């Protein structure tokens, strides 16, 4: 773990050198969401490949770039693309980007993902604000020696997903008539989609949506004291015996269609942050 924190710190220093001071808020955009058309003022960007120590993604649908700039006076970082456990990366590499961004000094982190809807209230194209998660990956980024200067050995997860940020998202989505629900996100290892029987199991466990990211990054960011929000873009209904077969292309295509709502919502969130300061 000691060596891992050195890597995190050296990325944070590199970001400070190349992109300047830490942004007020970082937004991680996953599968199919990377085309979000954010207009940033004073934009600076850097591709993952040019950041020493930053893991590089192999899955299609993920470009790898950091964009930093202002939206109405608020400094925003967009992380376009992430790496996943299912690509074969160890858990510390999956969470290294978010740790580096928080170590840089960012206090607010919004994690987005594409997810399969389990709760019938959810429909493809809707947003789900994550209230809580089930970490079913079988991993935890905090395993190993703890550095008490970074966070607690046994961090509380009662409010892992910030009530404050969620309230702002609800307020803005309601104001803009963007369809959303709140719910529990189940994070699985993947990369195979769930079987119908697994989807039944997840429903009984209390999951409203299912995906293959976010939970480990959220745990790592909460451990370091960041405020975390999670937004799932419901790209499909999770597998059922009589439902359609799932394809990554369809997931990306629907996620892409939600991007417009997601972008408007995230821009509105930055406006709220500005007023809250
Ligand atoms: N299952 C798991 N991950 C997903 C899904 C799904 O149905 N859709 C998008 N990501």
């Amino acid at each position: 773990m000691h060596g891992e924190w050195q890597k995190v710190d050296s990325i944070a220093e590199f970001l400070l050198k190349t992109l300047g001071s830490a942004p007020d808020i970082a937004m991680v955009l996953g599968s199919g969401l990377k085309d979000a058309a954010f207009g940033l003022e004073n934009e600076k960007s850097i591709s993952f490949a040019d950041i020493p120590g930053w893991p590089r993604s192999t899955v299609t649908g993920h470009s790898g770039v950091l964009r930093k700039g202002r939206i109405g006076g608020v400094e925003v970082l967009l992380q376009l693309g992430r790496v996943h456990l299912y690509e074969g990366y160890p858990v510390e590499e999956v969470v290294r980007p978010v740790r580096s961004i928080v170590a840089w000094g960012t206090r607010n982190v919004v994690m987005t993902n594409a997810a399969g809807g389990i709760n019938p209230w959810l429909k493809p194209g809707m947003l789900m604000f994550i209230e809580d998660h089930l970490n079913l990956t079988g991993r935890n980024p905090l395993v190993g020696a703890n550095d008490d200067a970074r966070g607690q050995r046994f961090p509380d997860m009662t409010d892992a997903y910030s009530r404050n940020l969620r309230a702002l998202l609800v307020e803005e989505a309601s104001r803009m008539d963007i369809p959303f629900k709140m719910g529990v996100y189940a994070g699985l290892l993947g990369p195979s989609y769930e079987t119908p029987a697994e989807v039944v199991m997840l429903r009984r466990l209390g999951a409203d949506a299912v995906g293959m990211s976010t939970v480990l990054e959220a745990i790592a960011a909460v451990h370091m004291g960041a405020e975390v929000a999670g937004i799932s873009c419901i790209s499909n209904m999770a597998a059922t015996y009589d439902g359609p077969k799932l394809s990554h292309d369809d997931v990306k295509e629907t996620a892409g269609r939600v991007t417009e709502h997601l972008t408007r919502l995230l821009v509105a969130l930055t406006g709220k942050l500005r007023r809250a300061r």
Side-chain angles (χ1 to χ4, degrees):
M1 202 52 164
H2 183 63
E4 183 55 32
W5 284 116
Q6 278 177 348
K7 287 181 190 153
V8 165
D9 287 344
S10 84
I11 294 174
E13 271 168 44
F14 183 84
L15 295 176
L16 180 65
K17 225 169 39 200
T18 51
L19 298 178
S21 59
D24 302 305
I25 185 164
M27 302 171 177
V28 179
L29 300 178
S31 273
L33 306 170
K34 68 181 170 63
D35 294 328
F38 286 92
L40 300 178
E41 300 148 37
N42 296 331
E43 176 167 345
K44 287 184 186 167
S45 67
I46 186 163
S47 64
F48 295 171
D50 296 329
I51 307 173
W54 191 283
R56 273 199 260 164
S57 178
T58 56
V59 76
T60 55
H62 295 258
S63 74
V65 66
L66 290 181
R67 297 174 57 197
K68 181 174 172 251
R70 286 173 171 267
I71 302 179
V74 173
E75 288 280 347
V76 178
L77 181 83
L78 303 175
Q79 178 188 317
L80 304 179
R82 55 152 67 90
V83 299
H84 304 82
L85 275 182
Y86 65 72
E87 294 175 82
Y89 291 93
V91 61
E92 65 269 20
E93 288 190 32
V94 172
V95 302
R96 193 181 292 159
V98 75
R99 278 183 166 153
S100 307
I101 289 166
V102 177
W104 182 13
T106 310
R107 302 321 307 160
N108 300 291
V109 180
V110 182
M111 317 286 321
T112 72
N113 56 55
I118 296 178
N119 187 322
W121 284 98
L122 293 167
K123 299 286 174 246
M126 258 189 195
L127 299 177
M128 185 187 88
F129 302 154
I130 301 179
E131 282 180 303
D132 204 346
H133 76 211
L134 298 170
N135 173 13
L136 299 174
T137 63
R139 313 288 159 76
N140 190 301
L142 309 183
V143 168
N146 188 58
D147 181 344
D148 293 340
R150 311 293 178 142
Q152 296 177 31
R153 168 77 291 186
F154 301 107
D156 177 61
M157 288 284 145
T158 316
D159 283 322
Y161 296 86
S162 160
R163 282 171 197 267
N164 177 35
L165 289 177
R166 193 160 65 244
L168 298 179
L169 288 171
V170 167
E171 209 175 299
E172 290 305 287
S174 309
R175 186 176 63 77
M176 296 189 293
D177 272 334
I178 291 175
F180 71 93
K181 297 274 183 233
M182 290 199 268
V184 173
Y185 174 88
L188 274 63
L189 174 62
S192 47
Y193 289 118
E194 301 68 41
T195 63
E198 285 165 344
V199 174
V200 170
M201 171 189 77
L202 292 169
R203 183 76 198 121
R204 289 189 183 155
L205 292 178
D208 296 296
V210 57
M212 306 173 193
S213 68
T214 303
V215 294
L216 303 172
E217 294 149 280
I219 292 169
V222 167
H223 174 243
M224 295 176 76
E227 294 273 310
V228 175
I231 306 177
S232 290
C233 299
I234 305 301
S235 52
N236 57 282
M237 294 313 285
T240 52
Y241 290 107
D242 52 0
K245 296 209 187 236
L246 302 182
S247 87
H248 184 55
D249 287 341
D250 293 346
V251 165
K252 271 194 302 182
E253 201 268 320
T254 313
R257 280 194 275 124
V258 198
T259 302
E260 197 251 332
H261 279 165
L262 181 69
T263 312
R264 280 170 52 218
L265 180 62
L266 291 176
V267 168
L269 179 67
T270 63
K272 282 282 177 191
L273 285 185
R274 185 180 63 240
R275 261 165 266 141
R277 272 201 310 222

